[in-house]
Every structure is written in C-alpha cells, then in structure tokens.
C-alpha cells in the first residue's frame, strides 16, 4: 500500500470474515468485481475525474452524493494479486472521514473452501466522524456485506451464472415496447434463426440485469449459452437492424484495455485516441482496439450507464498483479501463474512510451516481457526498477509457485503491473465483424470517414477471376454469358458467407473477399471449385472455370466510394497470386500456408498441394507459393 496519511486521531479498525464453499479461484471473480459489489451493497453511483500525472498515469478524484451530502476523495491505485487479495486507499476532501483503507484477502481452507477476510481501517477527520463511522461502516456496511457475500456463496454452491450472484437493478421496458418486441421477435425468426434461441435472446433483453445489458458482448454471451459465436453475432446484428438493439464501437486502450471512448458508427471512429486513465495517446487498429458491442435501444429499454467503481481488479481482468512500491524499497510476494507470455510494466517507470502506434506493444524500456513455461526457468523473479527502466528485460520463469520481488530504486512511488499479453478472444473486433457478410449486407452504410485510414494487422484477402470469360461472351452471346456470370457470383457469395467471410467488391468478372481466419478462406476457395463443378454439370456449355489466390498480412481499411475497402501490399500481392492460378485450382502464399489451421485443413488426402516459386508483377523478390487442387481435377486443355 502507499504510505498512509499522517493523522492524530485514532482509527476505527474493522475486521470481518466469511466462509465460502468454493476455491479462491472460484470466489475471486465475484468478490473482486467492485463495480457490481458496490451497486449490490447499496452504494450510490459515482462521478470520476482523471487528471494527468506528469510522472505517468493519472490521478483519480471520485465523488458521490448521499443524503444530500457530497463526498469527495482521491483514490490511490488499487493493489491486487489474483486470486489472493486486493486493497485500496482513499483520502477524503473534508467531511467526517480523513482517509480509509480497505483490504480483502482470500485464504484457502482445505481443497474446497475459502475464508474471506475484509478489513477496513478508517480515520475520522473530526468529532462527527466518531458518530458517523460506527453507524455507516460498523453497522450498515457490515449488514450489506453480509447479505451480498452470503448470496455469492449460495450462487457458487448452486453453480449458477456469475450475474445471479448480485441483486442488481433491472430497468422496466419502455411503456410502448412490448408490441415492438413481439414484432421484432417474429422478424428474427423469419431470417432463419433457431426459434428457441430467438425466444431466449428476447427474454434476455426483457429480463436481464442492467449491468449485463449495458455492454452486450456477443461472443461472451455465446460462450455463456453454449452456442456458436458467429450465429450469436449475426443474431445481434439482425436485432440491431430491426431496432431491438443499438450498436457501439468501443475503442480499447492497449494498456488498460478499457473502453475509454465509444462511437455509434464507424464513421465516428477516429484513428488517434487518448486514454485518460493511462495518460497515453494511441492509434487504434481493427484487430484489437475496436470492439463491437450492443445495448438495448432506448425505445425498448432506457438503460443508463452507471459507474460504481472504475479501479477494481475486474475492470482490468488481464492484469494479474498490480502493486504500489514505495521509493527506495522492495516488496515481495508469492504468485502462481499459468504458462504463457506476460508483460511487466508501470505508468511511472522511466522510459515509458506515451504514444503507441497501431500494431505496436506499449512499453520500450518501461516494460519487461516474461515467458512462463512448465519445465524451464527460475522459481524466483527479482525485478529492479531504476532510472533506466525495468531489469531484467526478458526473464524466464517456471509456471506454478514463484517468489516475486519488486525493487524500486527510483525516487518516486511506482505502480508495477504483471499482465497477460494475449487479448481476450471474446471480443467481436472490427476486423472480425467487417469481414462478415451479414454485417456487409445489413450495415452497408457503415464506413470510415473520408481520408481516415485504420490498420488491420492480420487479414486474409482472396481474389478470384473467371477464366475465359471474354471467349464465353463471344461464344454464347452477351445475355446468356451475363446470366452465367451472375450465377457464378451467387455461388461465390454463398461460399464466402458460409465460411464467415465477406465480398468486399466485384471488379468485372473478379471478386475480392476478406476473411479473418486463413483456414476459412482456403475452405471457401475449395468449396467454390466444388460448387462451380456442380454448376457445370447442370450447365455444361461452356463450362465455367475460376482462378483463386489468397494472401495473409496487414492492410489499411479505408472509405472507398462509400464502402469499407482494404488497400496495401497484402491486397496487391493477393491479386497477383490469383493471376498465377491456371484455373480450377487455388494458389496461396507462404503466410497463408504457415497458418496452423490451414495446415490441418490441407492434411485432407483428397487434395494435392504442390509448391512453386513465382515472381509477381510490381515486386522484386520471388514468392514461394502453393497450388491446391482436388485429386479428381481435370487438367486444362
């Protein structure tokens, strides 16, 4: 904890305990969710002011009103170690309280129980504090905590969902909403969605807690219900199109990963964003920093976004450790982490980067990348923070129990963070959403503002072309040939849509499509070959023959002719690779072939994969390519 303020008045010290019939790992996500816990215990909503700290990060001043009285305090950074403990120090501006320190700790009791200890140290500022504190904290808060902790324990024993553990607000429907909801429910069922899923989803919008509906994440909801993620995303998109939901593009900070800014449409998204909490400027990209979320349309259910706590552990669940280390001092603790890549950083550590470019990791000298493996590495981690940054910069430790020591050799207090590098895969990112054909069909007007360019760091681009189309027009006439070209577009569109991609545009007889998953792109391409062969069996003269090329890499999302489009070398290379196809075969680049999902897909014995090297027009280097064809492919004459 930070150094406690000086005070001449003796403190009240409360220490309460509860037993939970679950492990600390099960209890932690609920009791450390301070946003929901504060609401459940009856605390009022807060207003937060974040002031940039010249040393890095920001200072938070928080205010709420209760019984007509305004309560204001400076909130120091929360400290926590998952799933062991968390705490916070608050210093008040006037009123009956000088400062308050809260510490919650979890101690395992055997293999299936946990003791929770809640400590409050609170110093009165004046005589009225001696009257108010025993009533508000010692009696009212104690009873509220007891009620909520018992409800959490009951929910854990019943193995119910997390949201049922808290008795939170449910806003009633708008008075005129019921008829609209019934109409929308019928519309959703008519677009070929499972009727039971639609009924469950509509009931969820009617009855769920406000805390769950303020920011609906379709992939997280799909995982919670055990249904396909893309189906849930498409259901939410249709629900937004029909007026049940509204969309929000959340701009996520690369450090705290919080949605510090939102935009109602892609047109309102700006590439350069500032996070007031981390006090950094950053560039958003489609892969990580822009997430599509949903909330009820105000005409259905007018939910207000309430803030009860902004600094608790569940606001940044990717952070496993956050500790304050005083100047010229050390802090040690035991920690157990799973295998993976972690980053150690701090907002005030010398060498910090205050601007993060798209696709880059924030840090520089102010970060240390940690690799944790089950077999190799140390069982102790000693990190030194000095005027040059963090040392060592690349430690390697074992998974499981580790003794961690932070040594602060600087002259200022440091906030040191250990966080997981991997982003949550439950985010429906802009890269995923905009490559979905359903989104393109329902929200074709969703484009970036003119001249805005946003990076997509990993996208698979497909180009196709109809071989011999000029000769076909001459052979069968314009009308007949045009009809066959349109039929071919329908086939390609269906294959792209089935594999969660989208048609970006057509260029003459050619198609440009995009996929977030390279394996889905390859599968779509091979399906095209099969479906065109089936079409040719029914329409033999003249047979259609398509060429397909795919490449994976980074590109730029832009507004082109009021449509969301992609440009860059990746797009150009994909177009050139398509030109290497002889027809009735798919040609892919090394970047596509190196994807694990593609390798697994191509293990199918019915496919023939041959490697080659080609020089592509406009590029100096030679490109390793792979030709994919079915074993029963008819060789071109």
């Amino acid at each position: 904890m930070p150094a406690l303020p000086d005070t001449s008045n003796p403190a009240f010290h409360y220490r309460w305990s509860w037993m939970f019939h679950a492990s600390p790992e099960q209890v932690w996500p609920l009791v450390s969710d301070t946003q929901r816990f504060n609401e459940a215990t009856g605390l009022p909503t807060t207003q937060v002011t974040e002031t940039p700290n010249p040393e890095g990060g920001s200072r938070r001043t928080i205010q709420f009103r209760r019984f007509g009285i305004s309560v204001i305090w400076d909130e120091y950074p929360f400290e926590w170690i998952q799933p062991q403990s968390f705490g916070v120090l608050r210093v008040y501006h006037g009123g009956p309280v000088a400062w308050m320190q809260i510490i919650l700790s979890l101690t395992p009791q055997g293999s299936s129980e946990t003791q929770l200890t809640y400590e409050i140290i609170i110093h009165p500022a004046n005589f009225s504090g001696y009257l108010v504190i025993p009533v508000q904290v010692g009696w009212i808060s104690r009873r509220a905590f007891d009620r909520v902790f018992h409800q959490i324990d009951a929910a854990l024993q019943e193995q119910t969902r997390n949201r049922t553990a808290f008795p939170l607000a449910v806003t009633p429907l708008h008075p005129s909403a019921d008829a609209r909801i019934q109409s929308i429910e019928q519309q959703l069922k008519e677009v070929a969605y499972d009727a039971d899923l639609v009924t469950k989803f509509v009931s969820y919008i009617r009855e769920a807690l406000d805390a769950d509906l303020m920011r609906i994440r379709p992939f997280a909801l799909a995982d919670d219900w055990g249904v396909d993620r893309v189906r849930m995303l498409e259901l939410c998109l249709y629900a937004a199109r029909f007026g049940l939901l509204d969309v929000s593009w959340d701009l996520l900070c690369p450090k705290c990963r919080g949605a510090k800014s939102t935009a109602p449409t892609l047109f309102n998204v700006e590439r350069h964003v500032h996070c007031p909490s981390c006090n950094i400027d950053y560039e958003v990209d489609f892969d990580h920093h822009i997430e599509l979320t949903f909330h009820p349309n105000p005409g259905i259910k007018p939910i207000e976004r309430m803030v009860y706590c902004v600094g608790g552990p569940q606001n940044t669940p990717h952070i496993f450790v956050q500790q304050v280390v005083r100047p010229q001092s050390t802090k040690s603790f035991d920690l157990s982490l799973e295998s993976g890549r972690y980053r150690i950083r701090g907002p005030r550590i010398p060498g910090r980067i205050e601007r993060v470019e798209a696709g880059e990791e924030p840090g520089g000298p102010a970060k240390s990348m940690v690799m944790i493996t089950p077999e190799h590495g140390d069982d102790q981690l000693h990190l030194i923070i000095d005027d040059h940054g963090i040392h060592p910069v690349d430690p390697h430790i074992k998974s499981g129990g580790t003794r961690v020591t932070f040594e602060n050799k600087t002259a200022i207090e440091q906030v040191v963070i250990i966080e997981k590098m991997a982003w949550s895969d439950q985010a429906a990112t802009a890269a995923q959403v905009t490559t979905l054909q359903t989104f393109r069909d329902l929200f074709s007007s969703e484009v970036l503002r003119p001249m805005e360019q946003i990076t997509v760091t990993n996208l698979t681009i497909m180009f196709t072309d109809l071989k011999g189309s000029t000769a076909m027009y001459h052979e069968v006439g314009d009308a007949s040939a045009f009809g066959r070209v349109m039929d071919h577009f329908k086939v390609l569109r269906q294959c792209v849509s089935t594999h969660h991609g989208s048609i970006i545009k057509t260029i003459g007889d050619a198609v440009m499509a995009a996929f977030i998953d390279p394996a889905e792109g390859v599968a779509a391409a091979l399906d095209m070959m099969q479906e065109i062969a089936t079409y040719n069996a029914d329409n033999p003269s003249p047979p259609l023959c398509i060429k397909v090329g795919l490449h994976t890499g980074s590109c730029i999302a832009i507004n082109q002719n009021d449509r969301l489009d992609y440009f860059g070398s990746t797009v150009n290379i994909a177009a050139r690779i398509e030109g290497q196809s002889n027809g009735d075969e798919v040609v892919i680049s090394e970047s596509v072939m190196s994807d694990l999902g593609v390798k697994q897909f191509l293990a199918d014995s019915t496919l023939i994969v041959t490697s080659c090297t080609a020089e592509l027009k406009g590029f100096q280097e030679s490109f390793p390519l792979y030709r994919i064809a079915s074993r029963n492919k008819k060789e071109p004459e």
Side-chain angles (χ1 to χ4, degrees):
M1 279 288 176
L4 299 177
D6 292 331
T7 180
S8 57
N9 296 325
F12 289 89
H13 191 167
Y14 298 96
R15 190 175 190 274
W16 307 312
S17 295
W18 287 268
M19 289 296 297
F20 289 81
H21 297 81
S23 67
E25 290 77 13
Q26 294 170 307
V27 175
W28 173 263
L30 297 175
V31 299
S32 64
D33 190 344
T34 50
Q35 163 77 6
R36 294 185 184 230
F37 183 83
N38 288 357
E39 180 184 357
T41 54
L43 291 177
T45 59
T46 63
Q47 294 179 330
V48 181
T49 302
E50 293 178 312
T51 305
N53 189 332
E55 297 169 344
S58 63
R59 297 171 179 167
R60 286 192 179 121
T61 301
I62 301 178
Q63 175 179 353
F64 67 61
R65 292 186 64 83
R66 193 162 202 178
F67 309 122
I69 300 174
S70 182
V71 180
I72 305 173
W73 69 90
D74 292 330
E75 185 161 285
Y76 284 72
F78 270 75
E79 295 185 76
W80 67 84
I81 303 171
Q82 292 191 30
Q84 302 174 27
S85 63
F86 73 82
V88 66
L89 172 65
R90 293 167 177 163
V91 178
Y92 290 82
H93 298 195
V97 177
W99 60 267
M100 177 173 67
Q101 184 182 44
I102 298 170
I103 303 172
L104 180 149
S105 58
L106 299 177
T107 306
Q109 303 291 311
S111 60
S112 59
E113 291 189 327
T114 299
Q115 177 177 291
L116 182 150
T117 302
Y118 202 104
E119 290 188 75
I120 301 177
I121 303 171
I122 183 167
H123 272 265
N126 46 46
F127 178 75
S128 64
Y130 288 97
L131 302 177
V132 171
I133 291 171
V135 176
Q136 178 59 51
V137 178
W139 186 60
I140 297 176
S141 294
R142 171 68 173 82
R143 293 184 63 187
F145 292 177
D146 186 68
R147 171 176 51 82
V148 174
F149 283 143
H150 277 102
Q151 185 161 351
I152 291 174
D153 185 43
L156 287 168
Q157 291 184 66
E158 296 169 6
Q159 296 184 338
T160 55
R161 300 298 182 189
N162 290 358
R163 60 179 173 271
T164 64
F166 296 99
L168 305 181
V170 177
T171 296
L173 296 175
H174 190 280
S176 62
D178 197 63
R180 286 183 60 193
I181 292 177
Q182 292 182 34
S183 174
I184 293 170
E185 182 175 358
Q186 185 59 38
Q187 287 179 283
L188 290 172
K189 291 177 179 178
E190 289 174 358
V191 292
Y193 273 91
D194 177 81
D196 291 339
L197 178 59
V198 170
T199 299
K200 182 177 181 179
F201 183 76
V202 171
S203 296
Y204 177 74
I205 302 302
R206 287 177 178 271
E207 302 166 3
L209 304 175
D210 290 359
D212 291 321
L213 296 179
M214 281 191 293
R215 188 169 182 258
I216 300 172
R217 305 177 74 210
F219 289 173
L221 187 60
D223 293 348
D224 196 18
W225 289 4
V227 300
D228 181 76
R229 287 182 168 189
V230 175
R231 292 289 286 173
M232 179 62 76
L233 173 57
E234 290 180 330
L235 177 56
C236 289
L237 288 170
Y238 274 108
R241 189 70 180 86
F242 295 152
L244 182 66
L245 303 177
D246 283 351
V247 302
S248 177
W249 297 94
D250 296 347
L251 310 184
L252 309 181
C253 171
K255 283 192 174 182
C256 68
R257 303 183 190 176
K260 299 303 181 181
S261 180
T262 63
T265 67
L266 277 178
F267 189 87
N268 299 105
V269 171
E270 296 184 1
R271 179 175 46 170
H272 300 291
V273 184
H274 177 75
C275 176
S277 299
C278 300
N279 191 21
I280 63 165
D281 297 318
Y282 63 97
E283 287 189 17
V284 298
D285 63 34
F286 268 30
D287 303 78
H288 297 116
H289 305 140
I290 307 177
E291 179 182 1
L292 180 66
T293 61
F294 300 84
H295 54 274
N297 182 291
I300 298 293
K301 181 178 280 194
I303 293 177
E304 292 186 51
R305 290 180 179 266
M306 302 294 189
V307 177
Y308 294 89
C309 183
V310 295
Q314 290 305 310
N315 289 74
T316 51
H318 66 289
I319 295 178
F320 284 76
V321 174
Q322 179 165 295
Q323 292 290 300
V324 176
V325 188
R326 298 177 189 176
Q328 304 297 324
S329 66
T330 62
K331 178 177 283 190
S332 298
F333 53 90
D334 293 320
L335 178 66
S336 180
L337 291 175
E338 296 178 351
S339 299
R341 294 177 65 232
Y342 296 81
R343 175 174 57 197
I344 302 175
R345 63 173 177 87
R348 304 173 188 171
I349 294 174
R352 69 185 185 276
I353 288 179
E354 297 180 351
R355 181 173 187 82
V356 181
E357 302 297 329
E360 293 184 356
E361 290 292 344
K367 70 177 180 181
S368 177
M369 310 303 294
V370 182
M371 180 62 72
I372 299 179
T373 58
E375 298 177 354
H376 304 289
D378 298 326
D379 57 5
Q380 296 190 30
L381 177 62
H382 189 130
L383 286 162
I384 298 173
I385 301 102
D386 59 22
D387 292 336
H388 301 287
I390 300 179
H391 315 282
V393 296
D394 191 21
H396 203 120
I397 62 176
K398 290 182 180 179
S399 58
T402 302
R403 185 66 176 174
V404 178
T405 299
F406 293 147
E407 183 176 356
N408 180 12
K409 292 187 175 182
T410 70
I412 62 173
E413 200 170 68
Q414 297 289 346
V415 179
V416 188
I417 291 167
I418 300 179
E419 63 188 358
K420 197 165 188 177
M421 286 292 295
W423 286 68
S424 170
D425 70 344
Q426 290 187 324
T429 65
Q432 294 169 304
V433 174
T434 57
T435 55
L436 197 65
Q437 190 63 50
T438 301
F439 173 80
R440 294 264 176 173
D441 293 342
L442 297 179
F443 297 91
S444 59
S445 61
E446 278 276 357
V447 295
L448 297 170
R449 67 183 64 200
M451 306 305 293
E452 190 69 89
Q453 302 177 10
I454 296 183
T455 299
V456 188
T457 57
N458 194 49
L459 197 66
T460 297
I461 299 294
M462 170 196 286
F463 275 92
T464 75
D465 196 14
L466 193 56
K467 184 177 180 180
S469 60
T470 302
M472 180 177 66
Y473 275 90
H474 179 73
E475 180 179 344
V476 301
D478 290 349
S480 179
F482 181 75
R484 294 172 70 81
V485 170
M486 291 298 102
D487 290 343
H488 132 274
F489 280 146
K490 290 179 183 178
V491 170
L492 269 55
R493 175 189 170 88
Q494 182 59 48
C495 293
V496 168
S497 179
T498 297
H499 291 281
H500 310 318
S502 64
I503 301 291
I504 306 304
K505 58 187 174 184
T506 59
I507 312 152
D509 301 331
V511 164
M512 174 185 171
F515 300 83
I516 197 67
D517 183 352
E520 293 282 17
V522 173
L526 292 170
D527 278 0
M528 291 174 183
M529 300 295 175
Q530 182 61 47
E531 293 301 320
I532 290 295
T534 301
Y535 177 85
N536 286 338
D538 297 328
N539 305 271
S541 181
L544 300 180
C545 177
I546 62 169
K547 305 189 298 179
V548 185
L550 295 103
H551 180 54
T552 297
S554 64
C555 55
I556 302 296
I558 66 167
N559 179 342
Q560 178 78 357
N561 299 324
D562 293 327
R563 298 280 292 185
L564 190 65
D565 205 343
Y566 302 104
F567 274 79
S569 294
T570 295
V571 177
N572 296 335
I573 292 171
R576 298 292 185 234
I577 290 175
E578 173 268 308
Q580 296 296 313
S581 172
N582 295 317
D584 287 337
E585 67 177 3
V586 180
V587 182
I588 64 174
S589 66
E590 181 69 38
S591 62
V592 177
M593 187 65 180
S594 63
D595 179 77
L596 180 60
V598 171
K599 289 181 178 179
Q600 292 173 341
F601 181 80
L602 294 181
D604 186 342
S605 61
T606 64
L607 299 173
I608 301 174
V609 181
T610 56
S611 61
C612 63
T613 302
E615 293 183 358
L616 305 181
K617 183 179 179 181
F619 297 89
Q620 295 182 348
E621 70 270 31
S622 295
F623 287 79
L625 302 176
Y626 299 85
R627 300 181 183 275
I628 309 169
S630 173
R631 288 188 181 276
N632 58 7
K633 171 194 169 184
K634 181 180 178 181
E635 294 298 327
E637 298 178 358

